[in-house]
Protein backbone atom coordinates (compact mmCIF):
# COMPACT_ATOMS: atom_id res chain seq x y z
CA UNK A 1 0.00 0.00 0.00
CA UNK A 2 1.27 3.48 -0.84
CA UNK A 3 0.55 6.71 0.93
CA UNK A 4 -2.46 6.73 3.24
CA UNK A 5 -4.28 10.07 3.51
CA UNK A 6 -6.76 11.18 6.14
CA UNK A 7 -9.08 14.17 5.89
CA UNK A 8 -8.93 16.25 9.06
CA UNK A 9 -10.35 19.54 10.34
CA UNK A 10 -8.96 22.01 12.85
CA UNK A 11 -11.80 22.59 15.33
CA UNK A 12 -10.48 26.05 16.22
CA UNK A 13 -10.16 27.46 12.70
CA UNK A 14 -12.50 25.17 10.77
CA UNK A 15 -9.80 24.63 8.14
CA UNK A 16 -9.76 21.18 6.52
CA UNK A 17 -6.62 19.50 5.25
CA UNK A 18 -4.96 16.16 4.58
CA UNK A 19 -2.43 14.31 6.68
CA UNK A 20 -0.39 11.59 4.98
CA UNK A 21 1.20 8.44 6.35
CA UNK A 22 3.57 5.89 4.83
CA UNK A 23 1.79 2.91 6.37
CA UNK A 24 -1.31 1.74 8.19
CA UNK A 25 0.77 1.34 11.35
CA UNK A 26 1.86 4.99 11.25
CA UNK A 27 -1.72 6.15 10.63
CA UNK A 28 -2.99 3.97 13.48
CA UNK A 29 -0.44 5.35 15.92
CA UNK A 30 -1.42 8.90 14.96
CA UNK A 31 -5.15 8.14 15.32
CA UNK A 32 -4.69 6.59 18.75
CA UNK A 33 -2.89 9.73 19.94
CA UNK A 34 -4.92 12.12 17.77
CA UNK A 35 -3.75 15.71 18.38
CA UNK A 36 -6.01 17.90 20.49
CA UNK A 37 -8.64 19.85 18.52
CA UNK A 38 -7.97 17.94 15.29
CA UNK A 39 -11.10 16.14 14.07
CA UNK A 40 -10.77 13.23 11.67
CA UNK A 41 -13.36 13.48 8.90
CA UNK A 42 -12.47 10.28 7.09
CA UNK A 43 -10.07 8.44 4.83
CA UNK A 44 -9.11 10.26 1.64
CA UNK A 45 -7.31 7.31 0.00
CA UNK A 46 -9.90 6.02 -2.49
CA UNK A 47 -8.36 2.59 -3.12
CA UNK A 48 -8.25 1.69 0.59
CA UNK A 49 -10.10 -1.57 1.30
CA UNK A 50 -13.03 -1.70 3.69
CA UNK A 51 -11.28 -3.82 6.32
CA UNK A 52 -8.34 -1.42 6.63
CA UNK A 53 -10.69 1.55 6.77
CA UNK A 54 -12.65 -0.06 9.61
CA UNK A 55 -9.47 -0.83 11.54
CA UNK A 56 -8.37 2.77 11.27
CA UNK A 57 -11.78 4.00 12.36
CA UNK A 58 -11.68 1.71 15.38
CA UNK A 59 -8.32 3.10 16.51
CA UNK A 60 -9.42 6.74 16.47
CA UNK A 61 -9.35 8.53 19.81
CA UNK A 62 -12.87 9.96 20.26
CA UNK A 63 -13.49 13.64 20.77
CA UNK A 64 -13.48 14.77 24.36
CA UNK A 65 -16.26 17.06 25.75
CA UNK A 66 -14.31 20.24 25.00
CA UNK A 67 -13.70 19.12 21.40
CA UNK A 68 -17.34 18.09 20.95
CA UNK A 69 -18.44 21.56 22.02
CA UNK A 70 -16.15 23.16 19.45
CA UNK A 71 -17.40 20.73 16.80
CA UNK A 72 -21.05 21.68 17.50
CA UNK A 73 -20.23 25.40 17.38
CA UNK A 74 -18.30 25.01 14.16
CA UNK A 75 -21.04 22.98 12.48
CA UNK A 76 -23.68 25.50 13.63
CA UNK A 77 -21.63 28.36 12.16
CA UNK A 78 -21.24 26.51 8.86
CA UNK A 79 -24.98 25.81 8.70
CA UNK A 80 -25.76 29.46 9.42
CA UNK A 81 -23.50 30.61 6.58
CA UNK A 82 -25.03 28.02 4.25
CA UNK A 83 -28.56 29.20 5.09
CA UNK A 84 -27.55 32.83 4.60
CA UNK A 85 -26.05 32.10 1.18
CA UNK A 86 -29.10 30.09 0.13
CA UNK A 87 -31.45 32.89 1.23
CA UNK A 88 -29.32 35.42 -0.65
CA UNK A 89 -29.42 33.24 -3.76
CA UNK A 90 -33.20 32.89 -3.53
CA UNK A 91 -33.57 36.66 -3.06
CA UNK A 92 -31.52 37.35 -6.20
CA UNK A 93 -33.57 34.79 -8.14
CA UNK A 94 -36.84 36.41 -7.01
CA UNK A 95 -35.57 39.86 -7.95
CA UNK A 96 -34.45 38.62 -11.37
CA UNK A 97 -37.80 36.88 -11.91
CA UNK A 98 -39.74 40.00 -10.92
CA UNK A 99 -37.62 42.17 -13.20
CA UNK A 100 -38.14 39.73 -16.08
CA UNK A 101 -41.91 39.73 -15.51
CA UNK A 102 -42.03 43.54 -15.48
CA UNK A 103 -39.94 43.71 -18.65
CA UNK A 104 -42.27 41.31 -20.45
CA UNK A 105 -45.30 43.43 -19.60
CA UNK A 106 -43.79 46.24 -21.64
CA UNK A 107 -42.64 44.04 -24.52
CA UNK A 108 -44.32 43.70 -27.92
CA UNK A 109 -47.51 41.67 -27.36
CA UNK A 110 -47.18 40.24 -30.88
CA UNK A 111 -43.72 38.78 -30.30
CA UNK A 112 -43.26 35.04 -30.62
CA UNK A 113 -44.62 32.89 -27.82
CA UNK A 114 -43.59 29.33 -27.00
CA UNK A 115 -46.51 27.09 -26.09
CA UNK A 116 -46.14 23.86 -24.15
CA UNK A 117 -48.65 21.21 -25.21
CA UNK A 118 -49.19 17.80 -23.63
CA UNK A 119 -51.76 15.15 -24.47
CA UNK A 120 -53.32 15.26 -21.00
CA UNK A 121 -53.17 18.90 -19.88
CA UNK A 122 -54.07 22.45 -20.88
CA UNK A 123 -51.67 24.41 -23.02
CA UNK A 124 -49.35 26.76 -21.14
CA UNK A 125 -46.58 29.17 -22.03
CA UNK A 126 -43.11 27.80 -21.31
CA UNK A 127 -42.09 31.17 -19.87
CA UNK A 128 -44.14 31.36 -16.68
CA UNK A 129 -43.47 35.10 -16.49
CA UNK A 130 -45.24 35.64 -19.83
CA UNK A 131 -48.77 36.75 -18.89
CA UNK A 132 -50.23 36.88 -22.41
CA UNK A 133 -53.35 34.76 -22.94
CA UNK A 134 -53.22 31.89 -25.41
CA UNK A 135 -55.83 32.79 -28.01
CA UNK A 136 -58.05 30.23 -29.70
CA UNK A 137 -56.25 31.00 -32.96
CA UNK A 138 -52.95 30.03 -31.37
CA UNK A 139 -54.45 26.89 -29.81
CA UNK A 140 -55.85 25.81 -33.17
CA UNK A 141 -52.46 26.32 -34.84
CA UNK A 142 -50.70 24.26 -32.17
CA UNK A 143 -53.26 21.44 -32.38
CA UNK A 144 -52.93 21.37 -36.18
CA UNK A 145 -49.13 21.20 -35.86
CA UNK A 146 -49.40 18.34 -33.35
CA UNK A 147 -51.91 16.39 -35.44
CA UNK A 148 -49.59 16.63 -38.45
CA UNK A 149 -46.78 15.11 -36.36
CA UNK A 150 -49.16 12.40 -35.17
CA UNK A 151 -49.33 11.31 -38.81
CA UNK A 152 -45.55 11.19 -38.97
CA UNK A 153 -45.25 8.65 -36.16
CA UNK A 154 -48.49 6.66 -36.33
CA UNK A 155 -46.88 3.88 -38.39
CA UNK A 156 -44.67 3.21 -35.34
CA UNK A 157 -47.72 2.96 -33.09
CA UNK A 158 -47.00 6.36 -31.57
CA UNK A 159 -48.54 9.78 -31.10
CA UNK A 160 -47.18 13.11 -29.94
CA UNK A 161 -47.12 13.13 -26.15
CA UNK A 162 -45.35 16.42 -25.46
CA UNK A 163 -44.55 19.38 -27.67
CA UNK A 164 -43.12 22.87 -27.49
CA UNK A 165 -44.34 25.04 -30.34
CA UNK A 166 -43.24 28.60 -31.08
CA UNK A 167 -46.10 30.61 -32.55
CA UNK A 168 -46.89 34.10 -33.80
CA UNK A 169 -49.83 35.21 -31.60
CA UNK A 170 -50.66 38.26 -33.71
CA UNK A 171 -49.87 39.41 -37.25
CA UNK A 172 -47.67 36.94 -39.12
CA UNK A 173 -44.58 38.46 -40.77
CA UNK A 174 -44.61 38.23 -44.55
CA UNK A 175 -41.27 36.45 -44.40
CA UNK A 176 -42.99 33.47 -42.70
CA UNK A 177 -45.36 32.96 -45.62
CA UNK A 178 -48.55 33.03 -43.58
CA UNK A 179 -47.43 30.21 -41.26
CA UNK A 180 -48.44 30.94 -37.67
CA UNK A 181 -46.16 28.23 -36.31
CA UNK A 182 -42.54 29.32 -36.48
CA UNK A 183 -40.93 26.11 -35.18
CA UNK A 184 -41.47 23.29 -32.74
CA UNK A 185 -40.15 20.15 -31.13
CA UNK A 186 -42.04 17.10 -29.91
CA UNK A 187 -41.64 13.85 -27.99
CA UNK A 188 -43.59 10.82 -29.25
CA UNK A 189 -45.16 8.25 -26.94
CA UNK A 190 -46.81 4.89 -27.50
CA UNK A 191 -50.36 5.35 -28.72
CA UNK A 192 -53.18 4.07 -26.53
CA UNK A 193 -55.09 1.07 -27.83
CA UNK A 194 -58.46 2.01 -29.35
CA UNK A 195 -61.46 1.38 -27.06
CA UNK A 196 -62.80 -1.42 -29.27
CA UNK A 197 -59.46 -3.22 -29.55
CA UNK A 198 -59.77 -6.96 -28.87
CA UNK A 199 -58.08 -8.25 -25.76
CA UNK A 200 -55.90 -11.37 -25.87
Amino acid sequence: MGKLDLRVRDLNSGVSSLVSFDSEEAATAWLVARPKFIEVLGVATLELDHETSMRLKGSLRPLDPEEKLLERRLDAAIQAVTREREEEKMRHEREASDAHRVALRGADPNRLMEVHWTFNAEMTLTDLADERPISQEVKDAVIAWVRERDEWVKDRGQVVGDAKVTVWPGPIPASDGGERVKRGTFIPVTAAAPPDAKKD
Side-chain angles (χ1 to χ4, degrees), residues 89-133:
K89 177 184 175 183
M90 292 174 64
R91 184 178 67 80
H92 282 305
E93 289 175 349
R94 284 195 301 269
E95 290 176 351
S97 177
D98 291 344
H100 177 55
R101 191 180 300 276
V102 170
L104 288 184
R105 288 173 183 165
D108 181 4
N110 294 317
R111 68 189 183 279
L112 287 166
M113 61 167 51
E114 186 178 65
V115 178
H116 183 204
W117 177 95
T118 61
F119 74 95
N120 60 353
E122 292 291 327
M123 291 185 203
T124 59
L125 296 184
T126 58
D127 188 345
L128 298 180
D130 192 341
E131 299 173 346
R132 290 176 295 172

Side-chain angles (χ1 to χ4, degrees), residues 11 18 43 56 73 130 176:
L11 291 173
L18 294 179
V43 177
L56 291 171
R73 288 177 177 173
D130 192 341
D176 278 9

Side-chain angles (χ1 to χ4, degrees), residues 3-8 17-23 26-27 30 45:
K3 289 281 188 180
L4 195 156
D5 296 325
L6 299 178
R7 290 183 292 109
V8 301
S17 61
L18 294 179
V19 289
S20 298
F21 304 92
D22 292 326
S23 66
W30 186 90
T45 304

Side-chain angles (χ1 to χ4, degrees), residues 33-139:
R34 181 185 55 78
K36 183 77 169 178
F37 303 129
I38 298 298
E39 178 187 22
V40 178
L41 302 175
V43 177
T45 304
L46 297 179
E47 65 271 17
L48 195 67
D49 62 83
H50 178 71
E51 291 75 13
T52 302
S53 180
M54 294 305 294
R55 285 196 300 271
L56 291 171
K57 184 176 180 181
S59 65
L60 173 63
R61 179 175 72 80
L63 298 178
D64 62 32
E66 186 180 10
E67 291 171 323
K68 287 181 179 179
L69 178 60
L70 283 176
E71 179 191 38
R72 288 194 296 270
R73 288 177 177 173
L74 184 57
D75 288 343
I78 292 172
Q79 291 172 10
V81 170
T82 300
R83 284 195 302 270
E84 184 178 345
R85 288 177 178 173
E86 189 62 29
E87 290 169 0
E88 181 71 7
K89 177 184 175 183
M90 292 174 64
R91 184 178 67 80
H92 282 305
E93 289 175 349
R94 284 195 301 269
E95 290 176 351
S97 177
D98 291 344
H100 177 55
R101 191 180 300 276
V102 170
L104 288 184
R105 288 173 183 165
D108 181 4
N110 294 317
R111 68 189 183 279
L112 287 166
M113 61 167 51
E114 186 178 65
V115 178
H116 183 204
W117 177 95
T118 61
F119 74 95
N120 60 353
E122 292 291 327
M123 291 185 203
T124 59
L125 296 184
T126 58
D127 188 345
L128 298 180
D130 192 341
E131 299 173 346
R132 290 176 295 172
I134 303 175
S135 68
Q136 189 59 50
E137 194 171 23
V138 167
K139 291 179 180 179

